[in-house]
Amino acid sequence: MEDPLWVSMMVWGTWLLVAIVIDGVLLPLKLLLARKSLKNLNNDITVEDDELPQISIVIPAHNEEERIHECLLSIINSEYPPEKMQVIAVDDGSEDGTRSQIKKASVDAIMKGVRIQLIEKIHTGKVHSLNTGLRKATGEIIFTVDADVILEKTALKNMVKVFLADPDVGAASGYIEVRWDPLKVRFREKFFSRCEFLEYLNSFNFERNYQSWIDSLYTMSGAFSAFRREVMGSVGGYWPVTVAEDMHVTMMLHKKKINVINVPDAIGYVSAITDYDTLYSQRSRWARGQLEVAAISGKSYYEENRTSFRDILSIIRDSRDPKLIKLIFSYLWNLLRDSFKELKGKTWRYFDLMGLMRILFVDHTIAFPRLLWVFVLILLPFMGLYIEVIPVVMLLMYVFYILVDLIVTVFTYNYSSGKTRQKIEEAIPFIVLMPIYRIMIFCFRVSAFLQSLNEPADWKVEGPINGIKNGANNMKENVAKSVEAMILGLSGTYFSRKRGK
């Protein structure tokens, strides 16, 4: 017997309510906290050039021939005094014309009074390249900038102002904004570029602003960040333990109670990724790094230094002394006492309800149930179940997520510069496609979770389309080799028989 319509609506209404609770309930609080963060950002002070500190800018590069020249030009043409800039370009064993482009930019730099220091090394990866540059850095504030980032003229000065205004700030993350090529007019290219722009506007602008206010910023932008020199030294630079070195160093700074903030008007531009496989590779690396860092950073001081309950039971079993049973009660008492100490006086950073803990819960803990529901929804109509209700609920959910993105976009529009506002106005029609884009990115992340279980970490991950193409090419090669081997075998048999006769 089919359920009455009101029962179906109750069932699916509850399912819709879950989405609203996860992604909608906290939105008003996020907006309030983001507004507070923007209102209290201490970068509106006036600083004369002679008051600005010496800075060092480290740019790691591997096969960045096409982009590093423009990156270096944006640095040397910035509004920061050239005599107070140390620019360090670390070539990580590039096999293209990266070194030539750095030397070409060095000529332009000399005309501006800036010297670019080129360090050449064998290819050992981004982390080792960053640390090589850090060891040569002499500035009070050290910047790390990816070779494909184009800095706004005011970006360096706006970042430094925050450090000057607040001595408690130990590290800061810039705002990464997506730019697109106006000559790329195909729908696929426009879809990827505009949706990426809106996604970055949400993540690198809005999300990091409210996380900055509650001291829960869990990932500084690896593409554009800054540190006090002594702060970077206190954590030993970057560690080669994960593919997400920017997230790992952020978590290390938090463990040392160092204040990490977001600076939304320190802007760096990156080109939009309009290639499906490249986007898949990037998001898979991010998702895998998030899991790795969460595993590394998950234990508190008390957990790391606490004897496990299994060890207590092993001691009692091996000693065969009934009196040692009291160790169990002692263990439980110490567990409660340590837990109370951890809770006492904790701030937003440690509860982290809207930082890493929530991200891990939404993206990882409930990822597979959400993916399962996608397949269930497809199957239910074929089973004759909820045929009238499913389209209504799906439409309501689609509209709900459009509204969430629209509210965040309008909010960020009010606090954005003129250039960013123009791009928002151009990208806003694509907001109706954002739920589709986010579902695609969600599938990328789930794939990365599965991939991390049985494959070693790598900076570049093969995308599905390239995987299919390469698989087809390998199959062709294998078939060709098999046919060749069969022909040679038959030929050998034929001639051997002929000689025998």
Side-chain angles (χ1 to χ4, degrees):
M1 181 178 176
E2 190 174 343
D3 294 332
L5 183 60
W6 69 270
V7 174
S8 300
M9 292 302 295
M10 286 289 290
V11 171
W12 293 100
T14 303
W15 186 61
L16 179 62
L17 185 64
V18 171
I20 295 173
V21 168
I22 292 174
D23 296 311
V25 167
L26 290 176
L27 182 59
L29 181 58
K30 291 179 180 180
L31 293 168
L32 175 64
L33 296 174
R35 184 173 180 274
K36 284 181 174 291
S37 176
L38 291 165
K39 291 287 186 181
N40 287 272
L41 191 64
N42 296 318
N43 65 342
D44 55 351
I45 60 173
T46 302
V47 182
E48 299 298 331
D49 285 356
D50 58 351
E51 298 176 306
L52 293 170
Q54 290 284 340
I55 62 172
S56 297
I57 306 156
V58 178
I59 307 107
H62 177 69
N63 293 341
E64 297 287 356
E65 176 184 15
E66 296 180 1
R67 295 170 289 193
I68 193 167
H69 184 261
E70 193 175 1
C71 170
L72 292 170
L73 287 182
S74 72
I75 293 172
I76 63 179
N77 288 324
S78 73
E79 293 183 0
Y80 209 83
E83 68 277 7
K84 295 194 173 184
M85 284 197 296
Q86 178 194 23
V87 182
I88 304 171
V90 183
D91 176 51
D92 185 32
S94 297
E95 298 173 347
D96 60 0
T98 297
R99 287 184 294 277
S100 299
Q101 291 299 320
I102 295 173
K103 292 174 181 177
K104 179 181 176 182
S106 297
V107 176
D108 298 308
I110 292 173
M111 302 295 291
K112 294 282 185 177
V114 180
R115 177 177 174 270
I116 297 177
Q117 182 179 353
L118 170 61
I119 300 176
E120 300 181 41
K121 56 184 281 294
I122 61 172
H123 180 49
T124 53
K126 183 179 180 181
V127 169
H128 294 286
S129 299
L130 284 167
N131 288 332
T132 298
L134 291 176
R135 284 192 290 270
K136 297 293 185 179
T138 59
E140 295 177 40
I141 308 295
I142 300 176
F143 288 80
T144 58
V145 179
D146 280 356
D148 61 342
V149 172
I150 312 301
L151 295 185
E152 185 71 46
K153 282 182 175 291
T154 58
L156 296 174
K157 184 177 283 189
N158 286 344
M159 191 84 91
V160 169
K161 283 182 179 180
V162 173
F163 288 96
L164 295 177
D166 188 354
D168 291 332
V169 173
S173 178
Y175 165 47
I176 301 300
E177 183 171 295
V178 171
R179 61 174 187 164
W180 55 75
D181 186 350
L183 298 179
K184 293 184 176 181
V185 295
R186 290 190 299 176
F187 176 77
R188 177 179 63 84
E189 295 167 338
K190 294 178 76 171
F191 168 74
F192 276 111
S193 61
R194 274 54 167 188
C195 287
E196 261 182 85
F197 169 78
L198 292 171
E199 180 195 23
Y200 275 51
L201 194 72
N202 185 314
S203 300
F204 292 141
N205 192 321
F206 173 69
E207 292 268 347
R208 286 182 177 171
N209 278 327
Y210 78 73
Q211 289 174 354
S212 178
W213 178 254
I214 61 178
D215 206 7
S216 191
L217 180 63
Y218 71 93
T219 305
M220 297 176 64
S221 173
F224 179 36
S225 292
F227 311 81
R228 292 191 190 275
R229 180 182 178 81
E230 62 274 14
V231 163
M232 205 56 180
S234 69
V235 296
Y238 290 92
W239 292 21
V241 293
T242 172
V243 294
E245 76 290 332
D246 49 357
M247 183 177 180
H248 182 248
V249 76
T250 308
M251 299 305 291
M252 288 196 296
L253 293 174
H254 278 307
K255 281 192 172 184
K256 288 186 171 290
K257 312 287 182 68
I258 293 169
N259 192 17
V260 181
I261 68 167
N262 184 60
V263 186
D265 58 355
I267 304 174
Y269 300 99
V270 295
S271 297
I273 299 175
T274 57
D275 170 29
Y276 184 92
D277 282 330
T278 304
L279 185 62
Y280 174 84
S281 177
Q282 181 196 62
R283 299 315 168 88
S284 296
R285 184 177 73 248
W286 288 2
R288 184 190 187 105
Q290 194 178 79
L291 283 176
E292 291 173 345
V293 175
I296 294 169
S297 308
K299 291 185 178 181
S300 67
Y301 168 81
Y302 295 106
E303 290 174 319
E304 290 174 347
N305 293 277
R306 182 187 294 147
T307 304
S308 70
F309 188 64
R310 180 181 294 178
D311 292 336
I312 297 294
L313 293 178
S314 298
I315 292 171
I316 296 173
R317 183 192 61 205
D318 295 339
S319 64
R320 300 180 184 277
D321 185 355
K323 294 181 180 180
L324 291 179
I325 293 178
K326 64 181 182 181
L327 286 175
I328 296 176
F329 299 100
S330 176
Y331 173 84
L332 294 174
W333 170 253
N334 290 331
L335 180 64
L336 289 172
R337 184 193 62 191
D338 291 345
S339 298
F340 179 76
K341 285 182 178 179
E342 284 189 275
L343 290 172
K344 189 177 180 180
K346 281 193 171 181
T347 61
W348 277 99
R349 173 194 290 176
Y350 298 94
F351 289 117
D352 203 17
L353 297 177
M354 294 196 295
L356 180 60
M357 293 291 286
R358 180 185 174 278
I359 295 295
L360 290 174
F361 174 73
V362 173
D363 288 349
H364 303 167
T365 307
I366 62 174
F368 293 99
R370 290 166 77 182
L371 187 65
L372 179 63
W373 267 108
V374 173
F375 295 104
V376 171
L377 288 174
I378 296 172
L379 291 175
L380 287 178
F382 291 101
M383 299 169 63
L385 300 174
Y386 305 112
I387 296 175
E388 302 87 359
V389 180
I390 288 178
V392 177
V393 174
M394 294 301 295
L395 179 62
L396 289 174
M397 288 194 66
Y398 196 91
V399 172
F400 166 73
Y401 282 108
I402 289 176
L403 287 175
V404 170
D405 276 314
L406 182 61
I407 290 169
V408 172
T409 302
V410 171
F411 175 87
T412 52
Y413 180 88
N414 290 327
Y415 292 95
S416 297
S417 64
K419 286 183 181 179
T420 303
R421 286 188 174 190
Q422 290 178 359
K423 294 170 76 173
I424 292 174
E425 291 167 3
E426 185 175 344
I428 199 71
F430 286 84
I431 209 162
V432 297
L433 300 177
M434 281 300 291
I436 297 174
Y437 175 82
R438 291 192 184 281
I439 289 173
M440 181 183 68
I441 297 299
F442 172 73
C443 292
F444 288 174
R445 296 176 69 83
V446 173
S447 174
F449 306 153
L450 295 172
Q451 190 179 62
S452 64
L453 297 176
N454 57 7
E455 293 187 18
D458 195 3
W459 188 259
K460 291 185 177 180
V461 181
E462 185 177 56
I465 294 178
N466 279 336
I468 293 172
K469 290 179 180 178
N470 293 335
N473 290 334
N474 290 336
M475 186 175 68
K476 289 179 182 178
E477 291 177 4
N478 291 333
V479 169
K481 289 179 181 178
S482 299
V483 171
E484 182 182 358
M486 184 176 66
I487 293 172
L488 289 174
L490 291 173
S491 301
T493 303
Y494 172 77
F495 286 114
S496 62
R497 286 181 179 179
K498 194 171 182 180
R499 283 196 299 269
K501 291 181 179 180

